[in-house]
mmCIF file with all atom_site columns, all heavy atoms in Angstrom:
data_model
loop_
_atom_site.group_PDB
_atom_site.id
_atom_site.type_symbol
_atom_site.label_atom_id
_atom_site.label_alt_id
_atom_site.label_comp_id
_atom_site.label_asym_id
_atom_site.label_entity_id
_atom_site.label_seq_id
_atom_site.pdbx_PDB_ins_code
_atom_site.Cartn_x
_atom_site.Cartn_y
_atom_site.Cartn_z
_atom_site.occupancy
_atom_site.B_iso_or_equiv
_atom_site.pdbx_formal_charge
_atom_site.auth_seq_id
_atom_site.auth_comp_id
_atom_site.auth_asym_id
_atom_site.auth_atom_id
_atom_site.pdbx_PDB_model_num
ATOM 1  N N   . ILE B 1 16  ? -8.690  15.834  -11.578 1.00 0.00 ? 16  ILE B N   1
ATOM 2  C CA  . ILE B 1 16  ? -9.794  16.354  -12.410 1.00 0.00 ? 16  ILE B CA  1
ATOM 3  C C   . ILE B 1 16  ? -9.219  17.068  -13.631 1.00 0.00 ? 16  ILE B C   1
ATOM 4  O O   . ILE B 1 16  ? -9.740  17.071  -14.672 1.00 0.00 ? 16  ILE B O   1
ATOM 5  C CB  . ILE B 1 16  ? -10.752 17.253  -11.585 1.00 0.00 ? 16  ILE B CB  1
ATOM 6  C CG1 . ILE B 1 16  ? -11.386 16.513  -10.438 1.00 0.00 ? 16  ILE B CG1 1
ATOM 7  C CG2 . ILE B 1 16  ? -11.796 17.957  -12.504 1.00 0.00 ? 16  ILE B CG2 1
ATOM 8  C CD1 . ILE B 1 16  ? -12.251 17.356  -9.526  1.00 0.00 ? 16  ILE B CD1 1
ATOM 9  N N   . LEU B 1 112 ? -24.518 1.620   1.100   1.00 0.00 ? 112 LEU B N   1
ATOM 10 C CA  . LEU B 1 112 ? -24.740 1.111   2.476   1.00 0.00 ? 112 LEU B CA  1
ATOM 11 C C   . LEU B 1 112 ? -23.352 0.511   2.867   1.00 0.00 ? 112 LEU B C   1
ATOM 12 O O   . LEU B 1 112 ? -22.637 -0.037  2.113   1.00 0.00 ? 112 LEU B O   1
ATOM 13 C CB  . LEU B 1 112 ? -25.790 -0.004  2.459   1.00 0.00 ? 112 LEU B CB  1
ATOM 14 C CG  . LEU B 1 112 ? -27.224 0.478   2.276   1.00 0.00 ? 112 LEU B CG  1
ATOM 15 C CD1 . LEU B 1 112 ? -28.150 -0.764  2.037   1.00 0.00 ? 112 LEU B CD1 1
ATOM 16 C CD2 . LEU B 1 112 ? -27.658 1.315   3.459   1.00 0.00 ? 112 LEU B CD2 1
ATOM 17 N N   . TYR B 1 194 ? -27.719 -12.052 13.948  1.00 0.00 ? 194 TYR B N   1
ATOM 18 C CA  . TYR B 1 194 ? -27.876 -13.304 14.733  1.00 0.00 ? 194 TYR B CA  1
ATOM 19 C C   . TYR B 1 194 ? -26.501 -14.026 14.947  1.00 0.00 ? 194 TYR B C   1
ATOM 20 O O   . TYR B 1 194 ? -25.693 -13.988 14.079  1.00 0.00 ? 194 TYR B O   1
ATOM 21 C CB  . TYR B 1 194 ? -28.844 -14.248 14.166  1.00 0.00 ? 194 TYR B CB  1
ATOM 22 C CG  . TYR B 1 194 ? -30.298 -13.669 14.082  1.00 0.00 ? 194 TYR B CG  1
ATOM 23 C CD1 . TYR B 1 194 ? -30.623 -12.876 12.973  1.00 0.00 ? 194 TYR B CD1 1
ATOM 24 C CD2 . TYR B 1 194 ? -31.265 -13.987 15.007  1.00 0.00 ? 194 TYR B CD2 1
ATOM 25 C CE1 . TYR B 1 194 ? -31.924 -12.375 12.816  1.00 0.00 ? 194 TYR B CE1 1
ATOM 26 C CE2 . TYR B 1 194 ? -32.553 -13.495 14.904  1.00 0.00 ? 194 TYR B CE2 1
ATOM 27 C CZ  . TYR B 1 194 ? -32.815 -12.768 13.801  1.00 0.00 ? 194 TYR B CZ  1
ATOM 28 O OH  . TYR B 1 194 ? -34.152 -12.199 13.749  1.00 0.00 ? 194 TYR B OH  1
ATOM 29 N N   . LYS B 1 232 ? -15.920 -24.591 5.226   1.00 0.00 ? 232 LYS B N   1
ATOM 30 C CA  . LYS B 1 232 ? -15.951 -25.883 5.901   1.00 0.00 ? 232 LYS B CA  1
ATOM 31 C C   . LYS B 1 232 ? -15.483 -25.839 7.372   1.00 0.00 ? 232 LYS B C   1
ATOM 32 O O   . LYS B 1 232 ? -14.646 -24.946 7.638   1.00 0.00 ? 232 LYS B O   1
ATOM 33 C CB  . LYS B 1 232 ? -15.092 -26.854 5.141   1.00 0.00 ? 232 LYS B CB  1
ATOM 34 C CG  . LYS B 1 232 ? -15.584 -27.288 3.752   1.00 0.00 ? 232 LYS B CG  1
ATOM 35 C CD  . LYS B 1 232 ? -14.669 -28.274 3.115   1.00 0.00 ? 232 LYS B CD  1
ATOM 36 C CE  . LYS B 1 232 ? -15.177 -28.714 1.761   1.00 0.00 ? 232 LYS B CE  1
ATOM 37 N NZ  . LYS B 1 232 ? -14.243 -29.696 1.122   1.00 0.00 ? 232 LYS B NZ  1
ATOM 38 N N   . ILE B 1 364 ? 21.366  -0.175  30.429  1.00 0.00 ? 364 ILE B N   1
ATOM 39 C CA  . ILE B 1 364 ? 20.709  -1.093  31.472  1.00 0.00 ? 364 ILE B CA  1
ATOM 40 C C   . ILE B 1 364 ? 21.353  -0.917  32.809  1.00 0.00 ? 364 ILE B C   1
ATOM 41 O O   . ILE B 1 364 ? 22.588  -0.950  32.944  1.00 0.00 ? 364 ILE B O   1
ATOM 42 C CB  . ILE B 1 364 ? 20.832  -2.580  31.059  1.00 0.00 ? 364 ILE B CB  1
ATOM 43 C CG1 . ILE B 1 364 ? 20.286  -2.783  29.645  1.00 0.00 ? 364 ILE B CG1 1
ATOM 44 C CG2 . ILE B 1 364 ? 20.033  -3.450  32.012  1.00 0.00 ? 364 ILE B CG2 1
ATOM 45 C CD1 . ILE B 1 364 ? 20.667  -4.159  29.082  1.00 0.00 ? 364 ILE B CD1 1
ATOM 46 N N   . LYS B 1 378 ? 9.299   -13.810 31.853  1.00 0.00 ? 378 LYS B N   1
ATOM 47 C CA  . LYS B 1 378 ? 9.348   -12.359 31.699  1.00 0.00 ? 378 LYS B CA  1
ATOM 48 C C   . LYS B 1 378 ? 10.725  -11.810 32.188  1.00 0.00 ? 378 LYS B C   1
ATOM 49 O O   . LYS B 1 378 ? 11.125  -12.069 33.290  1.00 0.00 ? 378 LYS B O   1
ATOM 50 C CB  . LYS B 1 378 ? 8.249   -11.650 32.442  1.00 0.00 ? 378 LYS B CB  1
ATOM 51 C CG  . LYS B 1 378 ? 8.195   -10.082 32.309  1.00 0.00 ? 378 LYS B CG  1
ATOM 52 C CD  . LYS B 1 378 ? 7.059   -9.455  33.061  1.00 0.00 ? 378 LYS B CD  1
ATOM 53 C CE  . LYS B 1 378 ? 5.764   -9.719  32.350  1.00 0.00 ? 378 LYS B CE  1
ATOM 54 N NZ  . LYS B 1 378 ? 4.644   -9.021  32.952  1.00 0.00 ? 378 LYS B NZ  1
ATOM 55 N N   . VAL B 1 401 ? 18.454  -12.616 20.064  1.00 0.00 ? 401 VAL B N   1
ATOM 56 C CA  . VAL B 1 401 ? 19.289  -11.406 20.334  1.00 0.00 ? 401 VAL B CA  1
ATOM 57 C C   . VAL B 1 401 ? 18.477  -10.151 20.440  1.00 0.00 ? 401 VAL B C   1
ATOM 58 O O   . VAL B 1 401 ? 17.786  -9.807  19.469  1.00 0.00 ? 401 VAL B O   1
ATOM 59 C CB  . VAL B 1 401 ? 20.345  -11.258 19.206  1.00 0.00 ? 401 VAL B CB  1
ATOM 60 C CG1 . VAL B 1 401 ? 21.306  -10.070 19.547  1.00 0.00 ? 401 VAL B CG1 1
ATOM 61 C CG2 . VAL B 1 401 ? 21.187  -12.595 19.029  1.00 0.00 ? 401 VAL B CG2 1
ATOM 62 N N   . VAL B 1 583 ? 6.263   32.670  3.517   1.00 0.00 ? 583 VAL B N   1
ATOM 63 C CA  . VAL B 1 583 ? 6.790   33.216  4.779   1.00 0.00 ? 583 VAL B CA  1
ATOM 64 C C   . VAL B 1 583 ? 6.492   32.281  5.970   1.00 0.00 ? 583 VAL B C   1
ATOM 65 O O   . VAL B 1 583 ? 7.309   32.041  6.805   1.00 0.00 ? 583 VAL B O   1
ATOM 66 C CB  . VAL B 1 583 ? 6.168   34.678  5.062   1.00 0.00 ? 583 VAL B CB  1
ATOM 67 C CG1 . VAL B 1 583 ? 6.602   35.112  6.412   1.00 0.00 ? 583 VAL B CG1 1
ATOM 68 C CG2 . VAL B 1 583 ? 6.624   35.614  3.916   1.00 0.00 ? 583 VAL B CG2 1
#
Side-chain angles (χ1 to χ4, degrees):
I16 299 176
L112 291 170
Y194 295 83
K232 290 183 180 180
I364 307 167
K378 180 179 289 187
V401 181
V583 174

